Amino acid sequence: MTHVVTENCIKCKYTDCVDVCPVDCFKEGPNFLIIDPDECIDCAVCIPECPANAIFAEEDVPQDQMKFIAINAELSADFPTISRSTKPLPDADEWNGKENKLQYLER
C-alpha cells in the first residue's frame, strides 16, 4: 500500500511532510504535493506532519477523495521530486480546510 495526498493540499502546499520522508517520495506541482506510489514505503511518518490533514494511507482515503489515488499516480511522472521543505503558498492558511478545491489543481 501507499499513502495519498488529497484535496486539502491544493492551494496550501505545506511541506512539513517532506522533511520526515525517509525515501523522498514526495513530488511537487505548482500548488499541490503528491506521493509517488512507486517510491512510498508506507511508513506513515508523513501523516501527523501534515498541517492540512491531507495525507492518508490508501486504504483510509475518504470515499469522496478516492480520485486522488489516481491523481497521485498520474502526476508522479510529471512532477519533480522535492526532498526539503519550502514555504507554503502565501495564502495557504486561507485555503486550508476549504472544500471543492480540485478545480484549482495546477498541473
Side-chain angles (χ1 to χ4, degrees):
M1 286 291 160
T2 186
H3 284 72
V4 179
V5 179
T6 59
E7 185 172 33
N8 203 41
C9 186
I10 298 170
K11 297 203 66 76
C12 292
K13 199 170 77 167
Y14 298 106
T15 56
D16 306 58
C17 52
V18 172
D19 282 335
V20 298
C21 181
V23 293
D24 294 336
C25 69
F26 284 90
K27 303 237 177 155
E28 180 181 28
N31 70 347
F32 183 67
L33 296 176
I34 61 101
I35 293 175
D36 184 335
D38 293 331
E39 298 295 325
C40 180
I41 60 170
D42 200 26
C43 69
V45 297
C46 56
I47 293 174
E49 298 302 317
C50 179
N53 297 313
I55 303 172
F56 295 88
E58 185 175 348
E59 61 270 14
D60 296 331
V61 172
Q63 190 63 38
D64 67 334
Q65 299 290 301
M66 296 297 281
K67 60 187 150 276
F68 283 90
I69 296 171
I71 289 171
N72 277 241
E74 173 191 336
L75 296 178
S76 67
D78 299 334
F79 288 177
T81 299
I82 179 174
S83 56
R84 296 202 188 272
S85 62
T86 59
K87 291 183 180 182
L89 295 175
D91 54 355
D93 291 339
E94 295 171 35
W95 282 96
N96 189 4
K98 292 197 180 204
E99 295 182 10
N100 302 314
K101 297 195 301 184
L102 182 57
Q103 62 186 323
Y104 301 109
L105 177 64
E106 296 176 26
R107 296 172 182 249

